[in-house]
Amino acid sequence: MNTDIKVNDIKVIVFQLQNEEYGVSVEQVLSIERFQHITRVPRTAEFVKGVINLRGVVTPVIDLRSRFGIEEKEFSDSSRIIIVTVEEMNVGLIVDAANDVIDISSSAIEPPPEVVGGIKTDYIRGVAKLDKRLLIILNLNKVLSPDELSEMQNLEEVQ
């Protein structure tokens, strides 16, 4: 293995839920969409808001507030749906706002503490210290369990 290659920076999309800032690797982000009509699907988990038709592709959408046990609120003009790829599947994540794209030095990322703001640390890849900000870097592959992913896969196929 070649140890000369060092990955110094990761590029992340920064988004907001309540008063916290989160980051997700741009490699997993396909697009950031304005909030649009979501078709509710019966008998799905509480945090699964339904599906959207995104340029002809049926895409399941989850509310990250609900997923993380944060009090839900009405969607606003700043609400966004971040379309991400998880286990080769496209999923929309509803967030309060998508702020910017930044580079983070891998040395600024620390392992997650036991619990961060009530969110299980399984979901968290690390915490980045940026000046006066703390940015929670999410591990999208852990945000949805394998069972939930297969349920989402079924939503894509049913429509």
Side-chain angles (χ1 to χ4, degrees), residues 144-159:
L144 295 168
S145 72
D147 289 349
E148 290 162 343
L149 276 171
S150 80
E151 185 180 317
M152 297 272 184
Q153 193 77 45
N154 292 340
L155 286 182
E156 283 185 333
E157 291 162 6
V158 164
Q159 298 300 312

Side-chain angles (χ1 to χ4, degrees), residues 35 38 49 63 72-79 94-95:
F35 200 79
I38 297 173
K49 291 302 165 202
D63 187 338
E72 290 184 50
K73 70 170 195 149
E74 288 295 311
F75 304 117
S76 69
D77 287 343
S78 61
S79 296
I94 301 172
V95 301

Side-chain angles (χ1 to χ4, degrees), residues 4-157:
D4 294 282
I5 300 170
K6 285 199 327 201
V7 179
N8 293 330
D9 290 350
I10 64 164
K11 204 178 261 310
V12 296
I13 303 267
V14 178
F15 64 88
Q16 212 160 355
L17 288 178
Q18 206 161 353
N19 302 322
E20 300 294 328
E21 285 189 307
Y22 297 84
V24 61
S25 169
V26 294
E27 293 167 1
Q28 287 186 279
V29 175
L30 298 172
S31 64
I32 298 173
E33 306 292 331
R34 290 194 169 278
F35 200 79
Q36 56 188 279
H37 175 74
I38 297 173
T39 303
R40 187 86 182 109
V41 178
R43 293 189 305 278
T44 55
E46 177 74 23
F47 61 86
V48 177
K49 291 302 165 202
V51 292
I52 58 173
N53 180 345
L54 188 64
R55 293 179 277 287
V57 178
V58 174
T59 306
V61 175
I62 67 170
D63 187 338
L64 274 188
R65 275 179 166 262
S66 176
R67 180 64 175 132
F68 292 163
I70 300 170
E71 182 183 342
E72 290 184 50
K73 70 170 195 149
E74 288 295 311
F75 304 117
S76 69
D77 287 343
S78 61
S79 296
R80 293 289 180 267
I81 301 175
I82 300 177
I83 308 299
V84 297
T85 304
V86 182
E87 304 286 333
E88 298 180 17
M89 193 176 88
N90 296 353
V91 178
L93 307 175
I94 301 172
V95 301
D96 295 350
N99 301 342
D100 48 10
V101 178
I102 59 171
D103 289 314
I104 300 174
S105 166
S106 54
S107 62
I109 300 174
E110 297 184 1
E114 289 299 306
V115 170
V116 176
I119 298 171
K120 289 196 310 197
T121 53
D122 297 356
Y123 304 158
I124 300 173
R125 187 166 140 191
V127 178
K129 291 181 177 175
L130 312 168
D131 299 324
K132 295 184 168 95
R133 298 158 65 183
L134 278 183
L135 184 65
I136 299 166
I137 310 292
L138 292 181
N139 179 347
L140 287 181
N141 294 338
K142 300 280 187 186
V143 169
L144 295 168
S145 72
D147 289 349
E148 290 162 343
L149 276 171
S150 80
E151 185 180 317
M152 297 272 184
Q153 193 77 45
N154 292 340
L155 286 182
E156 283 185 333
E157 291 162 6

